[in-house]
Every structure is written in C-alpha cells, then in structure tokens.
Amino acid sequence: MKELRSIGIDVESANEGVSEVEEGGFWRRNRPRFLALAVVAVVALAVLALNRILVDVNYDDLIVAIQDTSWLNIGLSLLFTTFSFAALSIYDRQALALVAHKVPFNYVALTSFCAYAVGNVAGFGPLTGGTIRYRFYSPLGVSPEDVSRIVGYVTAAFGFGLLFVTGLGLLMADAKLAALVGLPAIAVRVAAIAILLFVSAVFIAATVGPKQVTVFGRTVALPGPKALALQLAATVSDLIASALVLWVLLPAGAIDFPSMLSIYSVAIALGILSHVPGGAGVFEAVILGALGTTVSLDGVVGALVLYRVIYYVMPLAVAVIVLAVTEVRRAAVANSALARGTVALVPLVLSAFAVVLGAMLVFSGATPASGQKLDWLQSAFPLPVVEAGHFIASILGLLMILAGRGLVHRLDGAWWLTVVLAASSIVLAFVKGFEVGEAVLLAILFVTLLLTRNIFSRPASLIEDRLSPGWWLCVGTILALALAILFFVYKDVGYSHELWWQFEFTATAPRSLRALLGVGLSAGCAAVWLLTRAPAGRSARPTADELRAAISIIDNQPLADANLVRTSDKSLLFSGNDDAFLMYRKRGRSWVALYGPIGNPAAHSELVWRFVELARRHGGRAVFYEVPGESLSIYADAGLSAFKLGEEARVGLESFDLKGSRRASIRTALNKAERDGIVFELLPVDRIGESMDELERVSAAWLAEHAVREKAFSLGAFERGYIATQPVAVLKRQGRILAFANVMTTAEKQEATVDLMRFDPEAPNGSMEVLFARLLMHFKQEGYKWFSLGMAPLAGLSGNPAAPIWHRVGRAAYDHGEAFYNFRGLRAFKNKFDPIWTARYMAVASGLSPLLAIADVTVLIGGGIRGVISK
C-alpha cells in the first residue's frame, strides 16, 4: 500500500516540477542571479546619484544642521513614529480576521511591531515580515497556507493604501508639486485622478461586485467594503504619520505637507521595489532629487539621517528591549503562546539589530570624530591606541554583520561571537572617539544577548557555513554605502599615496581610508574562504551498531513508519544524547530526510538544525519529506518553507467496526473470501523464514504483472533480511499464499501500518480490501489506537487561481492525471474505512528548491533515473 501512496506523487510532482523549470528556460533558472545583479545596479546608481546631488554639501555643515534640529521636533518625530507603528498593527488584525483566526491583540501588536521593525531595515518587508509572522503565528495554530494569505493581504493592503495616499497628495498639491518636479500641473492632476478612480473602482467592486476580481491575469479575493475602508484608514494613518516623521525634521517652511506626502509615498514605493535592504540610497535619492532644487540640502540630508535613526533604528532597539523583557518574564509564563512566539522572534530581531549595529560601526569608521572629541582623545589615549581602535572597530562591524546570519538560526557559536564583538566594540567606541550613542546601542545588544542565552543553543559550525546571496548582497550594499560616505565626507581632500602613512590625531582622512580598506580586505577574505570551498559529503549506509541504536529508539516512539530504517539504505544522524535520529539520503544537491526527527521530541529541534547545517556545509539543500503539520514551526526556525504533499489517512481503531451501510462492501468482500476458503494469518518474525520462498514468489509475480521495479527510500524492497524483521500478514487458500503485506509497529502500540503489499495475479478481486479489514480488526483487538493507510498524493491541494503555484500545479495533476495514476481511486478506496485525513508536508527552502527537491526525491524512490523512467 505504501508503494501506491508514494510512487504517484513523486513521479507526477517531479514531472510537473521539471516541466515548470523547462518552461521558464534561461530566465527562470537564472532569475536569482539577475535579481541580485539588478539590486547591485540599483545600489550603484543610487550611490552615483547621491554623490552628484551632494556635490555642494559640506560634511561639517551637515553636522551643524543635525545639531540645530530642535528637541521639540525630535520629540514630535518620535511621537509620529509611535502612531505609525500603532496603525501598522491593524494590518495584521484585519488579515487574521480574513483567515478566520482569533489572536489576542497584544500578540498581534508585538508580532506586527517586530515584523515592521525588522522589515524596514532588512528590506522587502513581505518576505522578512512573513518569516516573523510565520514563526510567531504557527505555534498559535495558524497554518502555513493562512500565514501566506496574511502576508499577501498585508502586502496588498499597504500597496493599495500607498496608491490612495499618492493620488490624494498629487491632487492636493498638483500645482506646487508640478513646479517642484518640472511637469505641467495638468499632468500631475490627471495622474492623481487616474489613481483615485482606480481606488474607487476597487471599493465599488468590493461593495456591489463579485468577491473576487482579476488583476493582471490573477484572481484576487476582496475583503468586504467595511474591512477595506478600515484597512485603507489604517494605511493612510500609517503613511501620514511616517511622512510627518520626516516632515517635522526638515527645515521650517521647506515644503507643504501634501506635496511632502506625495514625494514620500513615491520614495517609499521605489525603495521597496528596489529590493535594496531598507531602500538605502534609493529613498534618499528620490527625496533629495525632488527637494534639492528648492530647499537647503544641508537641512534635507540632516533630516534624512535623523529620520533613518528615529524611524528605523530606534524601533528596532525598542523591539530588542521589549523581547528581552518578555524573555526575562518567560519563566512565569513558560507554557503560554506568547512565550513560545517570543522565542521564535528573538533570533530574527537580534539578527537585524546586530546587522544594523555592524553597519553603524562600518559607517562610523568612514567618518571623522569632531574637533572636541579629538581633543579628548589626545588627552586620554596615545595615538597608536586610537589608530588601532578605529581600524579594529570597523572590522568588528563587518564580523558582526556576518555573525547576524548565525543569530537568525540560533547558533551558539554566533551568540558567543556577537557577545565578544559587542563587548569589544563598546570599549572601542570610547577609544576611537567617545561615541556614547554607539556604546549605548551596543550595550543594549550585549545585555539582550546575555538575557536570551538559552535561545541560542544550537551547536553548529559558524565558520563552515555558506552565506546566501541575500546576505552577500547585504554586505555589498553596506560596503558601497560606506565607500560613498567616505567620498562624501572627504571630497575636499586630495588623494595622495602619502595619506596611507599619515598618523596624527587630526589626520582623520587617512584613518578612515585605512579603516575602510581593512573592512574591504576582510570582506574579500571572507568571500574567498566561504565561496571557494568545494562541496562534499555523501550518504553512507549505516553500520550495524548505528542500526541497532536506531531500532532501539524506534521501539520507544509512536511512528510505525520509522521502521523503514530497517532497510539499511539510508544514512543516520543521531542527536547529542543518542535518543533521537534522522534517516536521510543524498541525491544531487538535495539532502533528503525521511519523516523528520524520530525519537525524543526534545531533541527534534537540534537534529533539524544540525541536518540543515550539514547540507549547507556541503553546498546542498536540506529537504524534510512527509513531515506532519504540527512540527512545521521547527522547520520554520531553520529557515525552511512548507509545501503540502497530500493527506495521510489514519483510522481510529477504538471506534472502527464493520457495522452499518458504509461497511457493506467490506462485509461482502469478507464473506466472499470466507466462502472461497481464503484465510488471514499474521506470521510472527520467527515463522517468516519458513514461508520466505513463497513470499518471494508472490512478490516477483506482482512486480512482473505490474511491470515495475523495486523502489527505495520511502518504500521497502523485497529483501529477505528486511522482510524478516517485522511480522507479515498473509491471505492463504488451501495453504498457498495469495497476498501478503509486511507490517510495521512499535512497542508503544500507538500505530500500525504496512509497507509492501503484494498479490499473486491469481488472487481474487477484493483481496486488498479483505487484507486491510482483517488487519484493522486484528490491531483493534491488540489495543492499538491508529492504523495508517498511507498518504493520498496531492489530495487537499487548493485549486483556487489565487493559491500558491505549488498548490495549483499539484491540483491540476490530481484533477487531470488519472491516465498516469489513480489519484481519486486511491482516495476513494481509503475513504471506505472512514479515516481521519491529516496533511503531510515537505519542508525545504522556497524558490525553485521544492521543484528540484521533489525531482531528487523521485529519483531516490525510483532507485535511480532508470527506475523513474521504467516505473
């Protein structure tokens, strides 16, 4: 039966996945590279634009402009920042209502605040914010599909509100804005009216039209008019408040607020679309390009610097403090959902904070200390100490950025490294220039790391890990901006080779030049080390001792399918205490673990993370095949996404019987088998040997009749050593075996299932039904709670056009693939026994990884490409 439940999904899904890759051709295969190149190009253009715009701005004048900003205006900007983040919490509340999930508002507010605090800094908020939402909401029972809907709703709601605010601002300030950007007023007015008409059309469609609309060829579900109005009000409030944060920091009378709101909306939109972390450079270039001709550039640049600190850095610091306080109190509420969610949020938020502070140290290395601070330094420290402190602090900033990736995944090595870096940087903040602000932020990070030490408990190698392209892009963006800052600050200093060898307290340009060179060389060395290591690693068969250890673990856990370890064709990875294990195989770049961790639940998280790191260390992708929905939060913590494979049919044996009209066909088959003299017998292990030849005869006849080969990995093959390890159920007539199934159980008596189920071609119709009915009744009498009938491939996938592409492809195969595999017939057969259907997933990185992974799993199950082609 397991052969039936696995072959279909693997072959069909693999074929669908390969076809998608081929259809995308060159573009689909290379899209991540093109996207990375596009972001690099955007960063380069933004840097060039900023340097051109700021050609007449003096660094000293900029510092004066920042210092001249009144504390009242700074206080107002902090207040408007609070209003903005409060409005953002309504997004999540509305999205949760849309997917019919009730979550306490304090949970929603904390999740929303952390999602936007991290998303604002990391860039591409839907992706980063989606990860935070998934990690927090999944312990509350929100499914991966619903989290995807929440992220999609929040993204669409923000975009819709951004359109409305832009249109409103254009209409209110058409003449002034037109003069500002050099366009006819009528052009600005027409654009505003067009945008507002589109927003009105959406409202009308939500009120009197269908519940779904098609936009650019995609079907989108619409909320009701009241929900839409509330969401629009929240978005407008958010954008107005965040625009006010910047507006109050600008020089008085610089620009009227409606014009500012329009320019701000465009700048935010372009920053998001650029995929640059935090929209850095892109946002500033738009604001400066629009205001630079009419407003003092010193004041605008100073306002932008303060805006970044207040709206981006301060909320992230507050999020770190809030999570630290919550973590300290977690002992009192250890079993609450809030505590579980906090544990999931802390690594992401601390990682983002570490990256921001690392960038701060790099940028600080490219800027000089003020004259007063230089006087303090000269009286407090000798010149070599100051020079070394400035140089080392910049390199520590780069290391902190790289360590941030390890914090995301809760590595203990990353925790230790960041603690050391933060403590060292606090000292160096005073040595290089009495930077009290830097020291305070670093102290917040240091204390929070100490308070959350128990969360970072995964023993994995940070040095051997490979950084993803996204992290390299982040590092590259920070280095590019640091270089731009260096050229901006010292544009009046003529370059000469002697600069490298000038060591004086007042020689700040050489000091910054050397610091940035050190950062660049360090980044280059890290890149060479991490990118040139050849991928290695292979999966080997387990030793006899490993196999005995795994079997002893199986007897003390409920999953009957874990007995597939007895096939000895999968490698084993054990937990630190040897009380849990993973069985896996490597195919191509896919390291595929079957069923996830088996054994002590307390060791599951450790094993998942160790396996992910093992795959990454060898340049591969970690894949967890056929995992239950209740364990998905563990895989999310490891940075993996869930993709539904189908649904498993499990029969509750306590309530199962053969009475009632729904069991009529089963009773008929049993009665017919009894009249034909067919008897059921469960052969214990010590009696299998005497029937082995006949079992092999039936197996060979079944393979020949169906023209298939033996399978592997998630299926057993008929090997005498494997068949003899567990009981075998048989149907006999006149002493001759007509059908058999090898049974899998554990000592806990929680669940029973079968692997191979094979029939003699002469076996009468209905033999499968008879064998299963007899097995169900037998294990009910033995006191077992569940009997697994296996998975129905592709069952339960959504066919909605708005569903993820994985669902739509799988649903299409389920609906139209009957010529290749009996999807509906298999589900109908299992439904005869009234099972409970539970979803089963594959956990893997998103993008093309699931399609490639399922193709690799198919080859593993088929025993090679030849096995896939020849069934």
Side-chain angles (χ1 to χ4, degrees), residues 640-680:
L640 305 182
S641 300
F643 299 87
K644 191 172 182 180
L645 293 172
E647 295 178 334
E648 181 188 9
R650 303 180 75 220
V651 179
L653 296 178
E654 293 178 354
S655 60
F656 178 79
D657 58 49
L658 297 175
K659 300 175 182 178
S661 59
R662 292 178 58 84
R663 303 284 191 270
S665 64
I666 299 177
R667 292 196 304 272
T668 299
L670 289 172
N671 291 334
K672 183 178 183 301
E674 188 174 349
R675 290 194 303 269
D676 292 341
I678 296 176
V679 297
F680 167 81

mmCIF file of all heavy atoms in Angstrom, residues 640-680:
data_model
loop_
_atom_site.group_PDB
_atom_site.id
_atom_site.type_symbol
_atom_site.label_atom_id
_atom_site.label_comp_id
_atom_site.label_asym_id
_atom_site.label_seq_id
_atom_site.Cartn_x
_atom_site.Cartn_y
_atom_site.Cartn_z
ATOM 1 N N LEU A 640 13.231 27.142 6.670
ATOM 2 C CA LEU A 640 12.625 26.368 5.588
ATOM 3 C C LEU A 640 11.148 26.720 5.444
ATOM 4 O O LEU A 640 10.507 27.183 6.381
ATOM 5 C CB LEU A 640 12.772 24.867 5.848
ATOM 6 C CG LEU A 640 14.198 24.358 6.093
ATOM 7 C CD1 LEU A 640 14.205 22.857 6.300
ATOM 8 C CD2 LEU A 640 15.114 24.738 4.950
ATOM 9 N N SER A 641 10.611 26.472 4.267
ATOM 10 C CA SER A 641 9.200 26.696 3.989
ATOM 11 C C SER A 641 8.502 25.352 3.813
ATOM 12 O O SER A 641 9.120 24.351 3.446
ATOM 13 C CB SER A 641 9.020 27.533 2.713
ATOM 14 O OG SER A 641 9.648 28.786 2.850
ATOM 15 N N ALA A 642 7.192 25.335 4.058
ATOM 16 C CA ALA A 642 6.414 24.099 3.984
ATOM 17 C C ALA A 642 5.614 24.051 2.692
ATOM 18 O O ALA A 642 5.011 25.045 2.290
ATOM 19 C CB ALA A 642 5.477 23.996 5.184
ATOM 20 N N PHE A 643 5.604 22.882 2.059
ATOM 21 C CA PHE A 643 4.841 22.662 0.836
ATOM 22 C C PHE A 643 4.042 21.373 1.006
ATOM 23 O O PHE A 643 4.607 20.311 1.280
ATOM 24 C CB PHE A 643 5.772 22.560 -0.369
ATOM 25 C CG PHE A 643 6.586 23.808 -0.601
ATOM 26 C CD1 PHE A 643 7.798 23.988 0.047
ATOM 27 C CD2 PHE A 643 6.124 24.803 -1.438
ATOM 28 C CE1 PHE A 643 8.541 25.139 -0.145
ATOM 29 C CE2 PHE A 643 6.855 25.960 -1.633
ATOM 30 C CZ PHE A 643 8.056 26.126 -0.987
ATOM 31 N N LYS A 644 2.743 21.488 0.845
ATOM 32 C CA LYS A 644 1.872 20.342 1.102
ATOM 33 C C LYS A 644 2.055 19.273 0.033
ATOM 34 O O LYS A 644 2.035 19.556 -1.166
ATOM 35 C CB LYS A 644 0.412 20.799 1.148
ATOM 36 C CG LYS A 644 -0.544 19.736 1.657
ATOM 37 C CD LYS A 644 -1.940 20.319 1.849
ATOM 38 C CE LYS A 644 -2.891 19.275 2.415
ATOM 39 N NZ LYS A 644 -4.245 19.835 2.599
ATOM 40 N N LEU A 645 2.221 18.013 0.480
ATOM 41 C CA LEU A 645 2.369 16.888 -0.439
ATOM 42 C C LEU A 645 1.063 16.157 -0.672
ATOM 43 O O LEU A 645 0.831 15.612 -1.741
ATOM 44 C CB LEU A 645 3.396 15.889 0.118
ATOM 45 C CG LEU A 645 4.845 16.356 0.198
ATOM 46 C CD1 LEU A 645 5.670 15.329 0.946
ATOM 47 C CD2 LEU A 645 5.411 16.561 -1.189
ATOM 48 N N GLY A 646 0.226 16.116 0.326
ATOM 49 C CA GLY A 646 -1.029 15.374 0.247
ATOM 50 C C GLY A 646 -1.585 15.183 1.638
ATOM 51 O O GLY A 646 -1.248 15.935 2.561
ATOM 52 N N GLU A 647 -2.410 14.151 1.797
ATOM 53 C CA GLU A 647 -3.031 13.891 3.101
ATOM 54 C C GLU A 647 -2.922 12.407 3.436
ATOM 55 O O GLU A 647 -3.145 11.547 2.583
ATOM 56 C CB GLU A 647 -4.500 14.326 3.083
ATOM 57 C CG GLU A 647 -4.665 15.831 2.910
ATOM 58 C CD GLU A 647 -6.114 16.261 2.850
ATOM 59 O OE1 GLU A 647 -6.965 15.433 2.453
ATOM 60 O OE2 GLU A 647 -6.398 17.420 3.183
ATOM 61 N N GLU A 648 -2.583 12.140 4.687
ATOM 62 C CA GLU A 648 -2.468 10.765 5.165
ATOM 63 C C GLU A 648 -3.794 10.320 5.763
ATOM 64 O O GLU A 648 -4.449 11.070 6.500
ATOM 65 C CB GLU A 648 -1.359 10.659 6.216
ATOM 66 C CG GLU A 648 -1.175 9.245 6.738
ATOM 67 C CD GLU A 648 -0.218 9.170 7.902
ATOM 68 O OE1 GLU A 648 0.178 10.230 8.420
ATOM 69 O OE2 GLU A 648 0.132 8.039 8.304
ATOM 70 N N ALA A 649 -4.174 9.080 5.470
ATOM 71 C CA ALA A 649 -5.406 8.502 6.007
ATOM 72 C C ALA A 649 -5.065 7.661 7.236
ATOM 73 O O ALA A 649 -4.307 6.700 7.135
ATOM 74 C CB ALA A 649 -6.091 7.649 4.953
ATOM 75 N N ARG A 650 -5.619 8.039 8.379
ATOM 76 C CA ARG A 650 -5.381 7.302 9.625
ATOM 77 C C ARG A 650 -6.721 6.886 10.216
ATOM 78 O O ARG A 650 -7.618 7.716 10.409
ATOM 79 C CB ARG A 650 -4.596 8.144 10.622
ATOM 80 C CG ARG A 650 -3.263 8.647 10.080
ATOM 81 C CD ARG A 650 -2.520 9.482 11.108
ATOM 82 N NE ARG A 650 -1.928 8.673 12.145
ATOM 83 C CZ ARG A 650 -1.902 8.973 13.440
ATOM 84 N NH1 ARG A 650 -2.500 10.072 13.856
ATOM 85 N NH2 ARG A 650 -1.322 8.184 14.310
ATOM 86 N N VAL A 651 -6.855 5.610 10.500
ATOM 87 C CA VAL A 651 -8.104 5.062 11.022
ATOM 88 C C VAL A 651 -7.999 4.951 12.539
ATOM 89 O O VAL A 651 -7.060 4.325 13.058
ATOM 90 C CB VAL A 651 -8.408 3.678 10.406
ATOM 91 C CG1 VAL A 651 -9.698 3.114 10.988
ATOM 92 C CG2 VAL A 651 -8.486 3.786 8.895
ATOM 93 N N GLY A 652 -8.943 5.572 13.243
ATOM 94 C CA GLY A 652 -9.005 5.426 14.690
ATOM 95 C C GLY A 652 -9.568 4.069 15.045
ATOM 96 O O GLY A 652 -10.746 3.797 14.811
ATOM 97 N N LEU A 653 -8.755 3.172 15.593
ATOM 98 C CA LEU A 653 -9.163 1.784 15.791
ATOM 99 C C LEU A 653 -10.160 1.614 16.934
ATOM 100 O O LEU A 653 -10.941 0.650 16.938
ATOM 101 C CB LEU A 653 -7.923 0.918 16.049
ATOM 102 C CG LEU A 653 -6.937 0.836 14.869
ATOM 103 C CD1 LEU A 653 -5.729 -0.019 15.253
ATOM 104 C CD2 LEU A 653 -7.620 0.255 13.643
ATOM 105 N N GLU A 654 -10.149 2.512 17.902
ATOM 106 C CA GLU A 654 -11.077 2.369 19.024
ATOM 107 C C GLU A 654 -12.526 2.449 18.567
ATOM 108 O O GLU A 654 -13.409 1.802 19.135
ATOM 109 C CB GLU A 654 -10.790 3.436 20.081
ATOM 110 C CG GLU A 654 -9.436 3.249 20.777
ATOM 111 C CD GLU A 654 -9.171 4.354 21.792
ATOM 112 O OE1 GLU A 654 -9.996 5.301 21.852
ATOM 113 O OE2 GLU A 654 -8.153 4.274 22.508
ATOM 114 N N SER A 655 -12.802 3.242 17.544
ATOM 115 C CA SER A 655 -14.174 3.417 17.069
ATOM 116 C C SER A 655 -14.469 2.627 15.790
ATOM 117 O O SER A 655 -15.587 2.654 15.290
ATOM 118 C CB SER A 655 -14.451 4.904 16.815
ATOM 119 O OG SER A 655 -13.552 5.420 15.842
ATOM 120 N N PHE A 656 -13.467 1.917 15.252
ATOM 121 C CA PHE A 656 -13.673 1.211 13.988
ATOM 122 C C PHE A 656 -14.443 -0.093 14.208
ATOM 123 O O PHE A 656 -14.166 -0.848 15.151
ATOM 124 C CB PHE A 656 -12.317 0.909 13.335
ATOM 125 C CG PHE A 656 -12.445 0.128 12.052
ATOM 126 C CD1 PHE A 656 -12.800 0.771 10.878
ATOM 127 C CD2 PHE A 656 -12.231 -1.243 12.038
ATOM 128 C CE1 PHE A 656 -12.926 0.063 9.694
ATOM 129 C CE2 PHE A 656 -12.348 -1.959 10.865
ATOM 130 C CZ PHE A 656 -12.698 -1.306 9.693
ATOM 131 N N ASP A 657 -15.423 -0.342 13.330
ATOM 132 C CA ASP A 657 -16.120 -1.630 13.311
ATOM 133 C C ASP A 657 -16.637 -1.878 11.903
ATOM 134 O O ASP A 657 -16.488 -1.050 11.016
ATOM 135 C CB ASP A 657 -17.256 -1.681 14.342
ATOM 136 C CG ASP A 657 -18.289 -0.585 14.126
ATOM 137 O OD1 ASP A 657 -18.748 -0.410 12.977
ATOM 138 O OD2 ASP A 657 -18.636 0.110 15.104
ATOM 139 N N LEU A 658 -17.245 -3.029 11.710
ATOM 140 C CA LEU A 658 -17.739 -3.421 10.379
ATOM 141 C C LEU A 658 -19.246 -3.301 10.245
ATOM 142 O O LEU A 658 -19.834 -3.830 9.302
ATOM 143 C CB LEU A 658 -17.298 -4.863 10.074
ATOM 144 C CG LEU A 658 -15.790 -5.086 9.992
ATOM 145 C CD1 LEU A 658 -15.478 -6.558 9.800
ATOM 146 C CD2 LEU A 658 -15.182 -4.259 8.877
ATOM 147 N N LYS A 659 -19.868 -2.574 11.162
ATOM 148 C CA LYS A 659 -21.311 -2.428 11.117
ATOM 149 C C LYS A 659 -21.710 -1.243 10.242
ATOM 150 O O LYS A 659 -20.908 -0.374 9.960
ATOM 151 C CB LYS A 659 -21.862 -2.237 12.526
ATOM 152 C CG LYS A 659 -21.562 -3.397 13.475
ATOM 153 C CD LYS A 659 -22.047 -3.073 14.878
ATOM 154 C CE LYS A 659 -21.692 -4.211 15.844
ATOM 155 N NZ LYS A 659 -22.121 -3.904 17.230
ATOM 156 N N GLY A 660 -22.979 -1.205 9.849
ATOM 157 C CA GLY A 660 -23.506 -0.059 9.123
ATOM 158 C C GLY A 660 -23.419 -0.211 7.616
ATOM 159 O O GLY A 660 -22.665 -1.038 7.081
ATOM 160 N N SER A 661 -24.214 0.612 6.931
ATOM 161 C CA SER A 661 -24.290 0.533 5.472
ATOM 162 C C SER A 661 -22.976 0.924 4.806
ATOM 163 O O SER A 661 -22.669 0.447 3.712
ATOM 164 C CB SER A 661 -25.418 1.442 4.961
ATOM 165 O OG SER A 661 -25.182 2.788 5.365
ATOM 166 N N ARG A 662 -22.185 1.795 5.452
ATOM 167 C CA ARG A 662 -20.936 2.229 4.845
ATOM 168 C C ARG A 662 -19.925 1.103 4.795
ATOM 169 O O ARG A 662 -18.958 1.164 4.033
ATOM 170 C CB ARG A 662 -20.351 3.416 5.625
ATOM 171 C CG ARG A 662 -21.174 4.678 5.513
ATOM 172 C CD ARG A 662 -20.572 5.801 6.357
ATOM 173 N NE ARG A 662 -19.201 6.086 5.979
ATOM 174 C CZ ARG A 662 -18.868 6.890 4.981
ATOM 175 N NH1 ARG A 662 -19.806 7.477 4.253
ATOM 176 N NH2 ARG A 662 -17.592 7.114 4.697
ATOM 177 N N ARG A 663 -20.113 0.071 5.606
ATOM 178 C CA ARG A 663 -19.189 -1.064 5.608
ATOM 179 C C ARG A 663 -19.735 -2.244 4.812
ATOM 180 O O ARG A 663 -19.180 -3.334 4.868
ATOM 181 C CB ARG A 663 -18.918 -1.522 7.039
ATOM 182 C CG ARG A 663 -18.373 -0.441 7.950
ATOM 183 C CD ARG A 663 -16.897 -0.178 7.649
ATOM 184 N NE ARG A 663 -16.313 0.655 8.686
ATOM 185 C CZ ARG A 663 -16.280 1.957 8.668
ATOM 186 N NH1 ARG A 663 -16.820 2.607 7.648
ATOM 187 N NH2 ARG A 663 -15.732 2.648 9.648
ATOM 188 N N ALA A 664 -20.808 -2.039 4.071
ATOM 189 C CA ALA A 664 -21.450 -3.151 3.366
ATOM 190 C C ALA A 664 -20.500 -3.807 2.377
ATOM 191 O O ALA A 664 -20.417 -5.039 2.290
ATOM 192 C CB ALA A 664 -22.704 -2.656 2.652
ATOM 193 N N SER A 665 -19.755 -3.013 1.605
ATOM 194 C CA SER A 665 -18.851 -3.592 0.603
ATOM 195 C C SER A 665 -17.730 -4.377 1.262
ATOM 196 O O SER A 665 -17.288 -5.421 0.742
ATOM 197 C CB SER A 665 -18.274 -2.483 -0.274
ATOM 198 O OG SER A 665 -17.469 -1.601 0.490
ATOM 199 N N ILE A 666 -17.276 -3.906 2.439
ATOM 200 C CA ILE A 666 -16.214 -4.628 3.142
ATOM 201 C C ILE A 666 -16.744 -5.962 3.656
ATOM 202 O O ILE A 666 -16.089 -7.010 3.517
ATOM 203 C CB ILE A 666 -15.664 -3.779 4.305
ATOM 204 C CG1 ILE A 666 -15.077 -2.460 3.770
ATOM 205 C CG2 ILE A 666 -14.608 -4.550 5.075
ATOM 206 C CD1 ILE A 666 -14.584 -1.526 4.846
ATOM 207 N N ARG A 667 -17.961 -5.952 4.237
ATOM 208 C CA ARG A 667 -18.544 -7.207 4.729
ATOM 209 C C ARG A 667 -18.771 -8.178 3.571
ATOM 210 O O ARG A 667 -18.555 -9.390 3.708
ATOM 211 C CB ARG A 667 -19.860 -6.924 5.444
ATOM 212 C CG ARG A 667 -19.697 -6.153 6.755
ATOM 213 C CD ARG A 667 -20.957 -6.240 7.600
ATOM 214 N NE ARG A 667 -22.127 -5.762 6.880
ATOM 215 C CZ ARG A 667 -22.525 -4.485 6.870
ATOM 216 N NH1 ARG A 667 -21.824 -3.575 7.551
ATOM 217 N NH2 ARG A 667 -23.601 -4.110 6.211
ATOM 218 N N THR A 668 -19.188 -7.649 2.433
ATOM 219 C CA THR A 668 -19.400 -8.518 1.265
ATOM 220 C C THR A 668 -18.094 -9.180 0.845
ATOM 221 O O THR A 668 -18.044 -10.386 0.548
ATOM 222 C CB THR A 668 -19.968 -7.693 0.092
ATOM 223 O OG1 THR A 668 -21.220 -7.130 0.487
ATOM 224 C CG2 THR A 668 -20.165 -8.568 -1.139
ATOM 225 N N ALA A 669 -17.005 -8.399 0.809
ATOM 226 C CA ALA A 669 -15.712 -8.955 0.430
ATOM 227 C C ALA A 669 -15.241 -9.997 1.438
ATOM 228 O O ALA A 669 -14.691 -11.050 1.063
ATOM 229 C CB ALA A 669 -14.682 -7.836 0.310
ATOM 230 N N LEU A 670 -15.449 -9.741 2.736
ATOM 231 C CA LEU A 670 -15.054 -10.706 3.761
ATOM 232 C C LEU A 670 -15.856 -12.005 3.643
ATOM 233 O O LEU A 670 -15.303 -13.109 3.765
ATOM 234 C CB LEU A 670 -15.228 -10.089 5.147
ATOM 235 C CG LEU A 670 -14.240 -8.976 5.534
ATOM 236 C CD1 LEU A 670 -14.653 -8.329 6.838
ATOM 237 C CD2 LEU A 670 -12.826 -9.533 5.650
ATOM 238 N N ASN A 671 -17.147 -11.854 3.425
ATOM 239 C CA ASN A 671 -17.994 -13.057 3.309
ATOM 240 C C ASN A 671 -17.598 -13.884 2.090
ATOM 241 O O ASN A 671 -17.550 -15.113 2.126
ATOM 242 C CB ASN A 671 -19.467 -12.654 3.216
ATOM 243 C CG ASN A 671 -19.969 -12.066 4.524
ATOM 244 O OD1 ASN A 671 -19.439 -12.368 5.595
ATOM 245 N ND2 ASN A 671 -20.992 -11.212 4.456
ATOM 246 N N LYS A 672 -17.328 -13.214 0.975
ATOM 247 C CA LYS A 672 -16.923 -13.913 -0.244
ATOM 248 C C LYS A 672 -15.599 -14.636 -0.035
ATOM 249 O O LYS A 672 -15.399 -15.775 -0.468
ATOM 250 C CB LYS A 672 -16.807 -12.931 -1.405
ATOM 251 C CG LYS A 672 -16.465 -13.568 -2.750
ATOM 252 C CD LYS A 672 -16.429 -12.528 -3.848
ATOM 253 C CE LYS A 672 -16.148 -13.193 -5.194
ATOM 254 N NZ LYS A 672 -14.862 -13.928 -5.208
ATOM 255 N N ALA A 673 -14.644 -13.957 0.640
ATOM 256 C CA ALA A 673 -13.355 -14.584 0.907
ATOM 257 C C ALA A 673 -13.519 -15.820 1.789
ATOM 258 O O ALA A 673 -12.859 -16.852 1.573
ATOM 259 C CB ALA A 673 -12.425 -13.573 1.575
ATOM 260 N N GLU A 674 -14.421 -15.729 2.758
ATOM 261 C CA GLU A 674 -14.652 -16.876 3.634
ATOM 262 C C GLU A 674 -15.244 -18.038 2.853
ATOM 263 O O GLU A 674 -14.856 -19.195 3.046
ATOM 264 C CB GLU A 674 -15.583 -16.457 4.775
ATOM 265 C CG GLU A 674 -15.728 -17.520 5.851
ATOM 266 C CD GLU A 674 -16.538 -17.030 7.038
ATOM 267 O OE1 GLU A 674 -16.804 -15.814 7.109
ATOM 268 O OE2 GLU A 674 -16.895 -17.865 7.878
ATOM 269 N N ARG A 675 -16.189 -17.745 1.944
ATOM 270 C CA ARG A 675 -16.788 -18.814 1.125
ATOM 271 C C ARG A 675 -15.749 -19.442 0.205
ATOM 272 O O ARG A 675 -15.796 -20.646 -0.079
ATOM 273 C CB ARG A 675 -17.934 -18.254 0.294
ATOM 274 C CG ARG A 675 -19.169 -17.873 1.110
ATOM 275 C CD ARG A 675 -20.371 -17.660 0.207
ATOM 276 N NE ARG A 675 -20.136 -16.646 -0.806
ATOM 277 C CZ ARG A 675 -20.404 -15.355 -0.645
ATOM 278 N NH1 ARG A 675 -20.912 -14.943 0.506
ATOM 279 N NH2 ARG A 675 -20.153 -14.482 -1.609
ATOM 280 N N ASP A 676 -14.774 -18.617 -0.258
ATOM 281 C CA ASP A 676 -13.739 -19.133 -1.161
ATOM 282 C C ASP A 676 -12.606 -19.823 -0.419
ATOM 283 O O ASP A 676 -11.616 -20.247 -1.045
ATOM 284 C CB ASP A 676 -13.161 -17.987 -2.002
ATOM 285 C CG ASP A 676 -14.160 -17.424 -2.998
ATOM 286 O OD1 ASP A 676 -15.160 -18.130 -3.294
ATOM 287 O OD2 ASP A 676 -13.953 -16.288 -3.472
ATOM 288 N N GLY A 677 -12.741 -19.917 0.894
ATOM 289 C CA GLY A 677 -11.723 -20.608 1.669
ATOM 290 C C GLY A 677 -10.451 -19.816 1.880
ATOM 291 O O GLY A 677 -9.389 -20.395 2.138
ATOM 292 N N ILE A 678 -10.548 -18.480 1.790
ATOM 293 C CA ILE A 678 -9.372 -17.625 1.999
ATOM 294 C C ILE A 678 -9.279 -17.268 3.479
ATOM 295 O O ILE A 678 -10.249 -16.771 4.068
ATOM 296 C CB ILE A 678 -9.467 -16.351 1.140
ATOM 297 C CG1 ILE A 678 -9.454 -16.715 -0.352
ATOM 298 C CG2 ILE A 678 -8.322 -15.397 1.455
ATOM 299 C CD1 ILE A 678 -9.646 -15.525 -1.263
ATOM 300 N N VAL A 679 -8.136 -17.491 4.069
ATOM 301 C CA VAL A 679 -7.946 -17.241 5.495
ATOM 302 C C VAL A 679 -6.839 -16.201 5.689
ATOM 303 O O VAL A 679 -5.934 -16.076 4.868
ATOM 304 C CB VAL A 679 -7.600 -18.537 6.254
ATOM 305 C CG1 VAL A 679 -8.749 -19.531 6.178
ATOM 306 C CG2 VAL A 679 -6.328 -19.170 5.697
ATOM 307 N N PHE A 680 -6.971 -15.502 6.805
ATOM 308 C CA PHE A 680 -5.996 -14.466 7.163
ATOM 309 C C PHE A 680 -5.096 -14.994 8.272
ATOM 310 O O PHE A 680 -5.564 -15.663 9.203
ATOM 311 C CB PHE A 680 -6.726 -13.218 7.650
ATOM 312 C CG PHE A 680 -5.847 -12.201 8.329
ATOM 313 C CD1 PHE A 680 -5.088 -11.311 7.593
ATOM 314 C CD2 PHE A 680 -5.766 -12.152 9.728
ATOM 315 C CE1 PHE A 680 -4.278 -10.377 8.215
ATOM 316 C CE2 PHE A 680 -4.960 -11.220 10.349
ATOM 317 C CZ PHE A 680 -4.211 -10.323 9.589
#
